[in-house]
Amino acid sequence: KMAARLSGGENRLVSLPLSRIRVIMKSSPEVSSINQDALFLTAKATELFVQYLATYSYKHGRGKEKNALTYSDLSHTAEECETFQFLADILPKKILASKYLKMLEKEKRDGEVGEDDEEDEEEEDEDEA
């Protein structure tokens, strides 16, 4: 069995710490117990996914030019590649704090305008009735 083979040399088969992966898996309320094989396969699949994300980001980003993988390469991949778009919230593009504050102010102003528009529409609906 796989679990028997893992007991001695599992550190050589996966790089990620299995104890941490177990903690993450157990944090789900639906999970009561974790089979050793499931733990190993989750760790291996995670490693392969991270490797694929890094390789793709390096090849399609500026990594080749700089001979390095950067955060912006990863965030660009998450934003532009359909396969990785589910990571867009986790790997957002970096922006300056001042730009972020301006964006928040604009959203707040737009939100207030949007609320006023909704009230106007409700008044018009009442007038028509």
Side-chain angles (χ1 to χ4, degrees):
K1 290 204 168 194
M2 188 183 294
R5 283 185 278 145
L6 289 177
S7 59
E10 71 184 30
N11 290 337
R12 287 177 280 152
L13 296 174
V14 291
S15 304
L16 297 172
L18 295 179
S19 59
R20 295 282 176 112
I21 293 172
R22 177 179 280 123
V23 168
I24 293 168
M25 290 172 76
K26 281 193 170 185
S27 70
S28 174
E30 297 91 35
V31 175
S32 56
S33 65
I34 300 166
N35 178 312
Q36 194 64 20
D37 291 345
L39 180 63
F40 170 76
L41 291 173
T42 301
K44 198 64 184 172
T46 303
E47 283 183 12
L48 293 172
F49 173 77
V50 170
Q51 182 181 19
Y52 179 65
L53 171 63
T55 302
Y56 186 95
S57 298
Y58 180 83
K59 287 180 180 175
H60 293 88
R62 295 190 187 136
K64 288 182 178 177
E65 298 167 15
K66 298 178 180 179
N67 203 23
L69 178 64
T70 64
Y71 179 86
S72 61
D73 293 333
L74 293 168
S75 66
H76 180 75
T77 297
E79 190 174 295
E80 299 299 322
C81 178
E82 191 175 327
T83 304
F84 297 110
Q85 281 184 347
F86 73 97
L87 294 172
D89 292 340
I90 298 168
L91 294 168
K93 283 196 170 193
K94 285 187 177 181
I95 60 171
L96 295 174
S98 57
K99 257 189 178 175
Y100 179 70
L101 292 173
K102 286 179 184 174
M103 284 172 47
L104 284 178
E105 286 176 21
K106 185 179 185 306
E107 282 181 18
K108 189 176 179 181
R109 282 191 308 252
D110 291 349
E112 290 171 2
V113 171
E115 289 171 10
D116 292 344
D117 290 346
E118 288 174 16
E119 289 172 12
D120 292 344
E121 287 174 14
E122 288 173 10
E123 289 174 11
E124 287 174 10
D125 290 342
E126 289 172 7
D127 290 342
E128 288 176 10

